[in-house]
């Protein structure tokens, strides 16, 4: 079992074959509740609030948890090469998740970080908070304007959530605390190539999201493409150049590059074109689930890269392997995976969100409550649910952010931070 | 006003002269509740739990808060040179705090980090947790033993608190969650040059602390000196060499090196030998408070470098300046600073601590409650008190640690963490 995201964890929780030995490998020691990662970046939550040690989640399961990095696969000999050891397997489940994709512009990463790991989030938090602090010390209005500008590329759920929460951070939380600048004047610019944000939603919901974002003071540029990203500036296809201390990339996700080492057919995003039962073509003992797997639905669209899909796939694979290991049961025909869409939602800010559950469409306050509710239910671990709920209640009523701490300093400042004042 | 530690913050809160303009400069954006820093290192608390943005603490005060670094002083022209700007002053209060001192062995810092900032704490947390994760993957028993050994140099409050909480982490929290290693076998070694730990306490309390540490399974080596520290190993004066993946330095504190740029007389620890009113010799308009100032008590001993002392000094200086700015009052004779010892305490672990309040001596459970109580009272900010109390209650009853998250990876692993799994 590789990867302790939603897929990997769900598998370990549902696969209970008594005689089977399960080993779970992940390169971090924690399961990350990715849907709330943007809250850490926007200093609404602290890192431990949305992450739990994998070991403590699985401590009652018969699972060996290893912190290690996958280096390569040896499917022929049923072995996985890790950085520190080599693991043999009878069954292999790949749930390595995705990573930020720059559409053939890897050089943009250094100027426009993506948001995938806790480290990403803490780095973004520190850079954004630091920019406002710098703005308070400088006098040149142009420099100040640049420091107080955040450009977010990509109007998908992540981009929308980041834009909304940074807009709130500047307009409500920071507003009263600076003497020389007015954080309310901060520019939050969201750039989306499509004519609407959240283009996976029905038009009316997408429009409502757009309205709600603008109400928060976010400048949304739809039908706009990024031509070039340089240190501290973004060039748009219409030639305009925006000076921004912080540029965040929320435009593209692709499967872990490790899929290229599997030697099977991939799609453009690097996802494995799996069989109907989620196994690898030619390798019935190897499965790929979550953001790694390309599965087509009846309507021809691929199953979206969302956590419910990953969890459903994990349960499907757990059932298959469990059946095949049960003596006597014999190798029955494996059933194909069917994705059940539980709906989709995105939050924009304080009592602002859009949601579609089945046929039910919601926006504004109701959608926001629904979003809160659903995310709390799925947030792993008793403690986290409780604490996160309290933090939200607190910041909702007090207009405060509890995690506005600059810890993860960019290298050039990190040295300074360790030197004495 | 330089430095937003206990001294700097207390000054800003008590100095309320209407016409005066106060500027507070700190190199971080947060006030850190240092007495609980070891809890962050031992993954009991998350960084934001013990830190608050300076701005939000002071948002109702007439204070300009700047995040900047002091570079040099120009006392003759009443100016402070910062990295980004230069500040002129009528009165200057130095509260820059202290930093870890390696007794003339600065080269030891790379092998045995100290614990002064949040970054230090997060780095230590990640390194220690990572060591246990590695131990689970390796097979060589010697390597394993080294990975599971933590050496703490210095038996003062910080050293004792670190040793106690790491011992608890290994013996209670991590114990049930590993399959191949038994974290209960981890070696926590505390090295102290004096014949007792907490030598500033009366002998019977110090002895009790020693007993309580040993009950937690900490190997305490008193009357032992460190001869040499190398990558992953400590050499003692008796020639013994201890292999340890993690070596933590809690042995020495000295004043910020910036005091050397003041051109006034300092003691060995770099502290300023201030006048009775806490002003700099020859500079009545400049004050030094907190860990920066050497103030002798009646008994000839220097005022200890603890937060209550810093806060008392801050109030004293605030009063002096306020008086002198009040029209008519004229320059009355400044009163000398008198330190009122409110007692001292150190926690060792779960219901284990020692405390001396006035003449009252406590140890064990009662001392621990007292410690809890006092620290919660002084913990800045409503939210923090509440949340920290809940976290403690939670981990007390559940034997869990809520912040066991590896985020701040050592450089060599940081790269790996950002690459896809």
């Amino acid at each position: 079992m590789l990867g302790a995201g939603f897929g990997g964890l769900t598998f370990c929780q549902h696969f209970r074959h008594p005689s089977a030995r399960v080993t779970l490998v992940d390169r971090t020691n924690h399961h990350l509740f990715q849907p709330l990662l943007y809250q850490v970046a926007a200093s609404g939550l602290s890192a431990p609030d949305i992450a739990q040690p994998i070991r403590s989640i699985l401590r009652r399961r018969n699972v060996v948890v290893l912190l290690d990095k996958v280096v390569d696969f040896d499917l022929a000999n049923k072995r996985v090469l890790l950085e520190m050891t080599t693991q043999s397997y009878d069954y292999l489940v790949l749930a390595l998740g995705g990573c930020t994709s720059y559409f053939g512009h890897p050089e943009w990463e250094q100027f426009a970080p993506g948001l995938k790991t806790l480290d990403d989030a803490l780095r973004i938090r520190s850079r954004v908070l630091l920019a406002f602090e710098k703005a308070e010390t400088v006098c040149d209005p142009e420099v100040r304007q640049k420091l107080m500008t955040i450009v977010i590329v990509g109007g998908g759920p992540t981009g929308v959530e980041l834009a909304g929460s940074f807009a709130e951070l500047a307009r409500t939380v920071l507003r009263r605390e600076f003497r020389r600048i007015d954080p309310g004047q901060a520019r939050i610019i969201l750039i989306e190539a499509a004519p609407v944000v959240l283009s996976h939603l029905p038009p009316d919901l997408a429009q409502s999201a757009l309205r709600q974002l603008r109400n928060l003071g976010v400048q949304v540029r739809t039908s706009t493409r990024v031509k070039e990203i340089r240190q501290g500036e973004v060039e748009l296809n219409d030639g305009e150049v925006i000076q921004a201390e912080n540029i965040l990339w929320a435009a593209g996700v692709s499967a872990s590059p490790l899929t290229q080492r599997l030697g099977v057919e991939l799609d453009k995003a690097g996802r494995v074109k799996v069989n109907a039962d989620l196994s690898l073509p030619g390798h019935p003992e190897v499965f790929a689930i979550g953001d790694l797997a390309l599965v087509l639905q009846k309507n021809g669209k691929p199953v979206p890269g969302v956590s419910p899909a990953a969890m459903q796939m994990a349960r499907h694979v757990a059932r298959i392997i469990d059946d095949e290991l049960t003596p006597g049961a014999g190798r029955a025909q494996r059933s194909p995976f069917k994705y059940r869409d539980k709906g989709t939602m995105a939050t924009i800010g304080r009592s602002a969100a859009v949601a579609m559950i089945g046929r039910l469409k919601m926006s504004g306050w109701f959608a926001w409550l629904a979003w809160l509710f659903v995310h709390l239910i799925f947030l792993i671990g008793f403690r986290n649910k409780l604490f996160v709920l309290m933090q939200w209640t607190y910041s909702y009523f007090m207009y405060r952010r509890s995690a506005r701490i600059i810890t993860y300093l960019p290298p050039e400042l990190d040295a300074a931070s360790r030197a004495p004042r």
Side-chain angles (χ1 to χ4, degrees), chain A:
Chain A
M1 179 71 236
L2 303 178
F6 285 103
L9 217 51
T10 308
F11 178 90
C12 293
Q13 284 166 329
H14 283 76
F15 181 76
R16 305 190 175 201
H17 199 281
S19 56
R21 275 175 43 249
V22 180
T23 304
L24 174 61
V25 179
D26 196 286
R27 74 186 151 86
T28 72
N29 79 323
H30 52 269
H31 167 75
L32 178 62
F33 193 76
Q34 217 131 16
L36 289 179
L37 194 53
Y38 78 97
Q39 286 265 7
V40 174
S43 58
L45 294 172
S46 77
D49 287 331
I50 64 161
Q52 281 270 308
I54 299 162
R55 307 194 168 285
S56 58
I57 298 172
L58 296 176
R59 71 187 177 290
R60 291 200 184 73
R61 308 250 176 245
N62 174 27
V63 177
V64 174
V65 180
L66 297 183
L67 184 148
D68 206 339
K69 245 185 97 208
V70 177
V71 179
D72 202 353
F73 305 97
D74 178 2
L75 300 186
N77 305 311
K78 299 191 175 182
R79 296 187 313 151
V80 180
L81 284 66
L82 307 174
E83 221 162 42
M84 288 188 269
T85 58
T86 296
Q87 294 280 329
S88 301
Y89 61 82
D90 301 314
Y91 286 99
L92 176 65
V93 183
L94 304 167
L96 297 163
C99 62
T100 310
S101 153
Y102 288 82
F103 304 131
H105 289 283
E107 72 276 13
W108 290 356
E109 182 171 10
Q110 52 184 317
F111 310 124
L115 183 62
K116 267 285 167 195
T117 69
L118 270 180
D119 285 351
D120 295 338
L122 293 172
R123 211 171 283 113
I124 289 173
R125 176 203 290 176
S126 293
R127 285 181 182 279
V128 170
L129 293 176
L130 212 53
F132 282 98
E133 294 293 340
K134 278 197 206 149
E136 177 88 344
T137 48
V138 299
C139 305
D140 180 334
E142 261 188 28
V143 178
R144 213 174 242 192
Q145 180 63 269
K146 178 179 179 177
L147 285 166
M148 293 170 65
T149 302
I150 302 173
V151 172
I152 295 149
V153 185
T158 307
V160 167
E161 287 166 341
L162 278 171
S165 51
F166 277 124
E168 277 195 334
L169 179 69
R171 274 163 191 55
T172 63
V173 184
L174 299 180
R175 182 146 216 171
R176 302 157 306 168
E177 298 186 4
F178 287 77
R179 298 282 175 266
R180 299 172 172 184
I181 60 166
D182 172 9
Q185 298 305 314
R187 294 193 305 164
I188 318 290
I189 304 171
L190 180 63
I191 296 168
E192 167 58 46
V196 289
V197 293
L198 303 177
S199 45
H200 62 294
L201 293 179
D204 51 344
L205 276 187
Q207 281 307 326
S208 150
L210 198 54
R211 265 196 314 279
Q212 296 183 56
L213 274 171
R214 296 202 160 123
N215 292 344
L216 278 172
V218 177
Q219 299 178 23
V220 188
R221 308 272 186 94
T222 51
S223 315
T224 309
R225 294 185 169 282
V226 169
K227 196 155 119 209
E228 186 60 47
I229 300 182
R230 291 175 290 270
Q231 175 63 50
E233 61 180 37
V234 183
E235 185 176 345
L236 306 178
N237 56 349
D238 59 13
E240 181 185 359
V241 174
I242 305 173
Q243 300 286 324
E245 178 79 357
N246 282 285
I247 306 167
L248 310 180
W249 185 266
V253 177
S254 68
S256 158
L258 283 163
T259 54
Q260 293 157 16
R261 314 199 60 54
L262 289 168
V264 298
E265 198 186 350
L266 311 175
D267 72 348
K268 281 204 315 310
R271 289 177 296 185
V272 179
K273 295 188 175 174
V274 293
N275 302 327
D277 63 355
L278 302 179
S279 67
L280 254 61
H283 290 284
E285 75 285 3
V286 182
F287 297 86
I289 63 175
D291 296 1
L292 224 72
L294 174 68
V295 185
L296 295 180
Q297 308 179 59
K298 284 211 190 58
N299 60 18
K301 283 205 199 131
V303 173
V306 296
S307 48
M311 292 158 89
Q312 290 176 28
M313 295 183 192
R315 282 192 290 272
H316 182 78
V317 171
R319 218 174 297 114
I320 289 178
I321 299 178
D322 197 9
D323 291 348
E324 297 187 352
L325 289 179
T326 314
R331 286 206 168 230
Q333 182 61 33
R334 291 177 175 182
S335 60
F337 170 74
K338 281 192 213 62
Y339 172 59
R340 285 171 302 286
D341 188 349
K342 296 267 177 64
T344 163
M345 38 179 54
T347 177
I348 292 149
R350 186 182 160 87
S351 32
V354 290
M356 189 168 76
I357 299 164
R359 266 183 202 67
L360 175 62
K361 294 177 190 171
M362 294 184 282
S363 62
W365 193 74
F366 274 110
W368 184 74
L369 268 193
W371 175 89
L372 208 79
F373 180 71
V374 169
H375 281 74
L376 280 175
I377 287 184
F378 285 111
L379 193 51
I380 302 252
F382 154 77
R383 175 239 169 209
N384 284 13
K385 278 180 204 166
L386 180 66
F387 278 63
V388 170
L389 177 60
M390 286 182 306
Q391 301 225 352
W392 278 340
T393 324
Y394 178 77
S395 41
Y396 185 86
F397 289 109
M398 314 287 283
Y399 284 99
R400 298 269 284 272
R401 293 272 172 111
S402 53
R404 270 174 44 217
I405 304 302
I406 299 178
T407 49
Y408 211 115
L409 291 167
E412 70 274 14
L413 271 146
D414 188 22
S417 82
R418 260 182 275 102
R421 278 179 215 141

